[in-house]
Structures are given as structure tokens and as C-alpha cells.
Amino acid sequence: MTQPDYSYEQAARAKGFLRIAGVDEVGRGPLAGPVTAAAVILDAEAIPEGLNDSKKLSLKRREALEADIFGSAEVAIAHASVEEIDSLNILRASHLAMERAVAALDPPPDYLLIDGNLIPKGLTQPAEEVVKGDGKSVSIAAASIVAKLARDKVMVDLAQQFPGYGWEKNAGYPSKQHRDALVELGVTPHHRRSFKPVHNILYQE
């Protein structure tokens, strides 16, 4: 298994950029909850060991790395709400969350490594897109870990207010428990009405 490394960051540094942020988002697929993004500027002298795509790490490993990231890097986290997802669409909302995370870094980064194949149009810094970047760039991997844990915490909190959907385990993704609960318990204010399984329950013929 290939590990992400610092080569994308080094290439940017070779061009004279110093504050290089990795940016990633999580939560495009769930039926409920916000989409969450993180922007992380790693300290080149103190890169946490074992950074990888958050999906490839156990919860325990993610939490240990999160502590290391917050201890050594500059981190910003931002969300786009369910209302924004429904009014804009999920791609634009996830880009909005990325733009907010980048804007929350102070002082701002001067170069961005964006996970995916599109650069959000609201970003003003020089940027490059990195497809499957959380498996290639340590900065994007760090952002993926921070964003995932932040969003999971939001969903655990929401699960206490709206029990039965299993959000504390499925994070709002369409698991069987979640889909069954949608039919039995109905749609909550935190469900994405523009997503087909939710839309279909709201507008049953």
C-alpha cells in the first residue's frame, strides 16, 4: 500500500510557496447532516507519522493522528449546512465548505492542494487539484482525518437529538438502519431533502 508523502508540498515549495495547505471534504454521500471540510498546513519539520486517507485508518489511529495534527499543524474546519446542500447542490456545498476552511486559516495559505478533480471557484490562492489526494499528499491526508472526525462528532450529537437513525454509527450514510428509520420515523430537519431517498419519502405518490 502506497503511503501519501510530502512530494506535492515540496514541488510547491520549490516554486517559492511557503504556506501550503491540504484541503479535503467529507460527507458528500450521507442522507443527513452537513458536509465538512478541513484545511491543514503541516510543519515540514514535524509531520505526524502514519498519515493516510482517513478511510484506511481505524478510529483509534485517526484519533491519535488527530491529536498529533492539532499539536503540530495549523488547522481550520468548516461546514456547509443541509439547507445549503439542498439549495446549491452537494458539489457546490462541499466546495463552499472547503472555501470556508481555507478562509479560516490565519494568516492565509499561499498555495492549496485540493483533493479531487475540481478547484472550488471561490478560492483566490494558487491551487492544484490532486485526484485521490488523501492517498498521495500528507497535507490532504491530514485534512481528511480532521474533517472526518469533526463531522462524525456532529453526527453523534445529532443522533442524541434524533435517536433511531443510527447516526452515531452510520454518520448519516444510507445504511439499512438509516433507510428503515426514514420510512418508520420520517424525515428530520437534518435530512437532505434534495437527496433521492429522502425526497421520495417526502413526496410519495
Side-chain angles (χ1 to χ4, degrees), residues 19 29 39 47 62 84 87 90 96 107 110 114 118 139 148 158 169 189-191 197 201:
R19 294 178 55 73
I47 297 171
R62 278 199 294 268
E84 288 169 326
S87 65
I90 184 59
L96 184 62
D110 56 13
I114 307 282
L118 290 169
S139 300
K148 172 148 181 57
L158 290 178
K169 296 195 294 288
H190 300 288
H191 277 103
I201 285 167

Side-chain angles (χ1 to χ4, degrees), residues 2-201:
T2 55
Q3 297 275 80
D5 60 28
Y6 201 66
S7 56
Y8 283 88
E9 292 82 350
Q10 272 163 333
R13 287 174 85 98
K15 295 177 196 162
F17 297 107
L18 295 174
R19 294 178 55 73
I20 301 146
V23 187
D24 198 7
E25 53 72 33
V26 64
R28 279 197 200 183
L31 304 179
V35 60
T36 301
V40 177
I41 301 176
L42 292 174
D43 176 351
E45 307 303 314
I47 297 171
E49 284 285 313
L51 289 172
N52 208 334
D53 172 356
S54 64
K55 295 184 286 296
K56 293 179 179 165
L57 301 168
S58 68
L59 174 60
K60 195 173 172 191
R61 191 79 195 96
R62 278 199 294 268
E63 288 176 337
L65 281 164
E66 180 192 43
D68 290 347
I69 294 162
F70 275 101
S72 62
E74 294 174 58
V75 181
I77 299 163
H79 308 279
S81 68
V82 167
E83 293 77 15
E84 288 169 326
I85 292 166
D86 286 340
S87 65
L88 296 169
N89 75 43
I90 184 59
L91 177 65
R92 182 70 198 106
S94 60
H95 281 183
L96 184 62
M98 284 182 168
E99 291 162 13
R100 285 173 177 159
V102 170
L105 287 170
D106 186 24
D110 56 13
Y111 195 82
L112 306 172
L113 298 169
I114 307 282
D115 182 59
N117 60 359
L118 290 169
I119 293 170
K121 56 181 182 278
L123 294 172
T124 54
Q125 294 91 339
E128 71 179 289
E129 69 273 26
V130 186
V131 175
K132 295 197 163 76
D134 41 13
K136 295 175 182 172
S137 151
V138 281
S139 300
I140 298 175
S144 82
I145 291 165
V146 169
K148 172 148 181 57
L149 285 168
R151 188 179 182 284
D152 285 353
K153 285 174 192 140
V154 169
M155 296 312 293
V156 168
D157 288 346
L158 290 178
Q160 292 172 341
Q161 299 168 43
F162 294 90
Y165 298 88
W167 293 342
E168 69 285 353
K169 296 195 294 288
N170 62 44
Y173 282 88
S175 67
K176 184 176 187 315
Q177 179 189 3
H178 190 181
R179 293 196 315 272
D180 290 349
L182 257 177
V183 175
E184 288 160 27
L185 303 173
V187 176
T188 73
H190 300 288
H191 277 103
R192 301 173 180 181
R193 283 154 168 69
S194 55
F195 279 44
K196 208 169 174 186
V198 180
H199 182 90
N200 289 351
I201 285 167

